Amino acid sequence: RPQRPCITTARERAASTAMIRTDVLVVGAGFSGATAARLVAEAGFRVHVIDRRAHVGGNAWDTVDASGIRIHPYGPHLFHTDAERIVAFLSRFTGWTPYEHRVLASVDGILVPVPINRTTINRLYGLDLDEAGVAAFLERVREHRDPEATSEDVVLNRVGRDLCDRLFRGYTRKQWGLDLSALAPSVARRIPVRTGDDDRYFTDRHQALPSEGYARMFERMLDHPGISVATGCEFDACRGEIAYRHLVYTGPIDRYFGGCHGPLPYRSLSFEFEHLEGVRWYQPVGTVNYPNEHAYTRITEFKHLVRQEHPGTTIVREYPQAAGDPYYPIPRAENEALYQRYRALADGLPDVTFVGRLAQYRYYNMDQATGAAMTAASRVIATLSGRSPPGPAESDRG
């Protein structure tokens, strides 16, 4: 079994005043930072990775709770992708446990599949439609919107007002603190509408979780003789201790520039975990959404995700909020315009690479974050090697 990477803590560093010298400093040890660090190190360069948290893995980090159930402390993380090269890269550091995520929504006391499918329509309206009947039903209730300028336009154009209000509008207000009409269309376009019985949340070819957990996968990714890791290390506090040729930054881009153009808006989350001793299963699927009930948006039961046998179960309730650690960039035209002002500053720094959900202000999935970091790493390697880097890419799924 490979040795765990050499990770130093804030206390251990306090005992040493020696300057760290490295080719590349990577800020953040999540998907973006760990991927870039590994690839740059494999190209023969020294890499030092820092993270302000006490662990590697970023928001994808997982652990075992006091009852022995593997949980995701920062909310459920479900890996899915169609990009074979991303699967091939990550598979070097983990095996996989197949898992196809299913979500139900509680609507007027009835549990129905999300995304909307034939079962959703029939159950909500007491019908017995076949696929053609569902397609005709949706065509009859939809409100034509052209162009689709907002997420509200997208939803009304696909499923009409009643389904919009019962399944989407309330959830969106809780999740984003905004109405559907105030969000870019890209938010609603992430969720398909189906006329058949497919109740999977994702349809990607590869859907699985790391068989030994995300934390172990990240430890293996960072286990390389050219990589050193320091946790509990804030960039602003640690940067004076590190001499580097190139910086890979995965934190909020506005924070890097001291918020000089004003803060970029993000949504955060708080979590309420509960272990239920003697309860074998709390709910029938991994996640149940609550569009119009409760202050929380959803409940996830981890045993569904990790395929774990246990006489009890652990659940988590998610409460979206404005304050706290940044989780989600808020997709709105004015926010994109503000990001572009920071992007212009970033483009003027040839020795700094900004990559990841927060650094690129993009609502990346984990595979997209990995792909963007792979592209960024190739540019860093070319730059350090004195070659012309490849053309810029905001994201790369494969």
Side-chain angles (χ1 to χ4, degrees), residues 5 24-42 47-51 55-60 89-90 92-93 214-224 227-229 248-250 355-356 366 369-374 376-377:
V24 178
L25 172 62
V26 176
V27 178
F31 267 99
S32 300
T35 297
R38 181 73 188 208
L39 293 174
V40 171
E42 288 179 345
V47 181
H48 186 63
V49 181
I50 63 174
D51 198 290
H55 56 75
V56 299
N59 288 345
F89 171 72
L90 294 176
R92 295 167 52 196
F93 314 107
Y214 285 102
R216 189 73 187 101
M217 181 186 76
F218 282 105
E219 288 171 355
R220 289 195 178 107
M221 288 175 70
L222 295 169
D223 184 15
H224 185 279
I227 298 175
S228 56
V229 181
V248 174
Y249 185 83
T250 72
V355 65
M366 290 182 286
T370 303
M374 294 172 77

Side-chain angles (χ1 to χ4, degrees), residues 190-261:
R190 293 170 65 94
I191 304 176
V193 176
R194 302 171 184 146
T195 57
D197 295 323
D198 189 348
D199 64 347
R200 296 174 300 163
Y201 197 78
F202 310 111
T203 58
D204 304 70
R205 289 193 302 272
H206 184 85
Q207 301 182 48
L209 272 70
S211 55
E212 295 179 68
Y214 285 102
R216 189 73 187 101
M217 181 186 76
F218 282 105
E219 288 171 355
R220 289 195 178 107
M221 288 175 70
L222 295 169
D223 184 15
H224 185 279
I227 298 175
S228 56
V229 181
T231 58
C233 182
E234 288 277 3
F235 176 56
D236 288 339
C238 296
R239 64 192 302 181
E241 307 168 5
I242 308 165
Y244 53 88
R245 296 168 57 194
H246 196 96
L247 174 68
V248 174
Y249 185 83
T250 72
I253 189 171
D254 54 326
R255 188 176 298 170
Y256 179 88
F257 291 106
C260 61
H261 293 314

